[in-house]
Amino acid sequence: MFDNAQLDKMIIFALIGIVAILVVAVIALAVKRNIYYVDENGNEIKPNKKKPAVNGQPVHPAPQKMTPLQADPLPQNYDKAEPLEVKGSAVAGALVSVTINGNTSESEITAFPCLMGRETSSCNLVISEPAVSRRHAQIIKEDGNLYLEDVSEHNGTFINGIKLPPLGRARIHEGDQISLGRAEIVVQKLLY
């Protein structure tokens, strides 16, 4: 280890001392038991360490009366309650609103991938805005979720104010705000 034998001995004794202290601490924690009991009012009850004995036999305390929990009563119109609406696990589409220069329109996206950009011949969602690329971004469906993908390395694609890396993607949730140039796209609702 080291060239100095005295130093080696000191290190070994220090390590043995640390191990001994740790062993003593573990044994002390195993023997000591912190048990706390609480009565029905929330007051702490400390158990007796010594059990009382009568004629050499230990005396066991009488069991305490336990009160069963009371549930809230059912509403009077319980049998007429509306069933809960359960959403499916896979997203089928999205309802979005597109705002360009103060003009807002709504679109329902159900065909994927949904390419967004200025080019009318290839884009599913045409955005007539000079700062938007011909093919700017797309919404894809994968594993029952929707994702926004940047398909142009030149103009930025933002979701909730955070810029996607070039050709990067992010999962879409209800209420997300997508920015392509000066166009704002808000995901109003995911369709199941």
Side-chain angles (χ1 to χ4, degrees), residues 72-187:
D72 292 335
L74 293 174
Q76 292 179 356
N77 60 349
Y78 175 73
D79 55 340
K80 300 173 191 160
E82 297 276 331
L84 292 175
E85 181 182 327
V86 179
K87 292 181 180 178
S89 60
V91 176
L95 180 65
V96 298
S97 65
V98 182
T99 305
I100 304 170
N101 296 327
N103 298 324
T104 303
S105 63
E106 286 193 351
S107 296
E108 188 173 291
I109 302 171
T110 55
F112 300 100
C114 175
L115 190 60
M116 299 178 287
R118 280 192 343 257
E119 192 172 89
T120 56
S121 61
S122 62
C123 292
N124 306 88
L125 187 59
V126 178
I127 301 174
S128 300
E129 188 352 83
V132 174
S133 300
R134 288 182 298 121
R135 295 178 176 189
H136 196 110
Q138 69 179 352
I139 296 175
I140 64 166
K141 182 177 169 183
E142 186 176 291
D143 298 327
N145 295 305
L146 297 183
Y147 293 89
L148 174 67
E149 281 189 344
D150 181 50
V151 295
S152 171
E153 297 182 41
H154 304 295
N155 298 326
T157 300
F158 294 81
I159 184 164
N160 299 323
I162 300 171
K163 184 177 181 180
L164 289 178
L167 307 177
R169 74 179 192 168
R171 186 171 168 194
I172 296 175
H173 302 88
E174 284 185 6
D176 282 349
Q177 294 180 344
I178 301 167
S179 300
L180 308 178
R182 289 184 293 263
E184 291 293 323
I185 302 167
V186 177
V187 180

